Amino acid sequence: MRVLVAEDEEILAELVATGLRRAGFAVDTVYSGDAAQAYLGLHDYDVVVLDRDLPRVHGDDVARGLVASGSRTRILMLTAAGSMEDRVAGLDLGADDYLGKPFEFPELVSRVRALRRRSARPVPPQLERHGIRLDTVRRTASREGRELDLSPKEFSVLQLLLEADGGTVSAEELLERAWDANADPFTGAVRVCMSKLRGKLGEPALIRTVQGVGYAL
């Protein structure tokens, strides 16, 4: 759900980021290899969409460093070079998947979702608890058969609560996992989102606040 797009063509990077956000992901964008390394060191990403030909620090070196650190972040490598040798070289560096340019956007989204499911925290296609059913592929949610009209952010927060399987999720973790790097931790964004989500879930209330700790379902 948290994706870093590292692509030196800024227009392409923003187009990819916009499309991924519409698909329900929290997305940050960087335009150089050193910036990618900095962001990967600061945030816990599920997937990095990594252009191979990045300036200042080559994408290959970013991939090598990520793999050497033991990170669970999955790597989807992009490149304009689409020969078999290039694909093999990219995968040998530790990339989990490889996509040549130009690409069809629905395929990119599908590949990012597939890599998310292969992460260290695998997510089943459907999550269920207390009458709530969440389809993580179709991005639909219901409670006791009643369809829920959730925003992408509300869907992400509800998914994180369901993944916790009754455990408590802190506001800090929700902010880290469901918002991008531009989110202000002092705005009360999590609290506002939680209030709206509670309203859409209806009665009886399912989300409880654990004082000083976070939220649980």
Side-chain angles (χ1 to χ4, degrees):
M1 287 186 294
R2 187 83 185 262
V3 179
L4 177 65
V5 175
E7 165 62 61
D8 67 324
E9 297 179 42
E10 295 189 21
I11 293 176
L12 176 59
E14 295 307 322
L15 285 173
V16 169
T18 298
L20 288 173
R21 290 184 186 113
R22 287 173 178 167
F25 296 97
V27 186
D28 297 322
T29 54
V30 293
Y31 315 115
S32 65
D34 55 342
Q37 289 177 324
Y39 270 63
L40 288 164
L42 286 171
H43 304 290
D44 183 19
Y45 291 99
D46 295 292
V47 178
V48 55
V49 179
L50 181 65
D51 180 39
R52 196 169 180 187
D53 297 315
L54 289 174
R56 294 202 286 274
V57 176
H58 197 275
D60 289 1
D61 294 322
V62 176
R64 286 191 191 97
L66 199 58
V67 172
S69 71
S71 172
R72 67 167 196 86
T73 301
R74 299 296 188 181
I75 302 170
L76 173 57
M77 190 168 276
L78 298 179
T79 184
S83 71
M84 183 187 70
E85 290 79 9
D86 289 310
R87 291 196 298 273
V88 169
L91 294 170
D92 282 347
L93 287 168
D96 298 281
D97 201 357
Y98 200 96
L99 191 58
K101 298 177 184 177
F103 52 82
E104 296 293 332
F105 195 78
E107 181 180 5
L108 174 66
V109 173
S110 179
R111 287 175 183 248
V112 170
R113 283 180 174 150
L115 289 177
R116 169 66 173 94
R117 291 194 293 272
R118 289 166 49 192
S119 70
R121 293 182 297 217
V123 179
Q126 294 210 1
L127 296 165
E128 293 188 53
R129 187 177 180 86
H130 299 312
I132 295 177
R133 174 175 290 184
L134 211 69
D135 189 318
T136 63
V137 177
R138 294 183 175 85
R139 306 282 299 177
T140 59
S142 63
R143 179 179 183 183
E144 305 293 354
R146 174 176 62 88
E147 294 297 318
L148 301 173
D149 182 20
L150 304 181
S151 71
K153 200 70 66 184
E154 291 159 358
F155 188 97
S156 295
V157 168
L158 182 57
Q159 180 173 337
L160 288 166
L161 292 173
L162 284 166
E163 286 179 19
D165 198 25
T168 302
V169 184
S170 69
E172 291 78 11
E173 183 177 354
L174 289 171
L175 197 64
E176 170 70 19
R177 304 299 303 150
W179 276 261
D180 61 30
N182 296 317
D184 184 344
F186 303 107
T187 60
V190 173
R191 178 176 49 79
V192 171
C193 181
M194 198 64 69
S195 176
K196 292 179 179 179
L197 180 57
R198 281 171 163 150
K200 291 183 179 182
L201 289 175
E203 298 293 336
L206 291 178
I207 300 173
R208 58 189 176 90
T209 301
V210 183
Q211 198 64 35
V213 181
Y215 302 91
L217 194 64

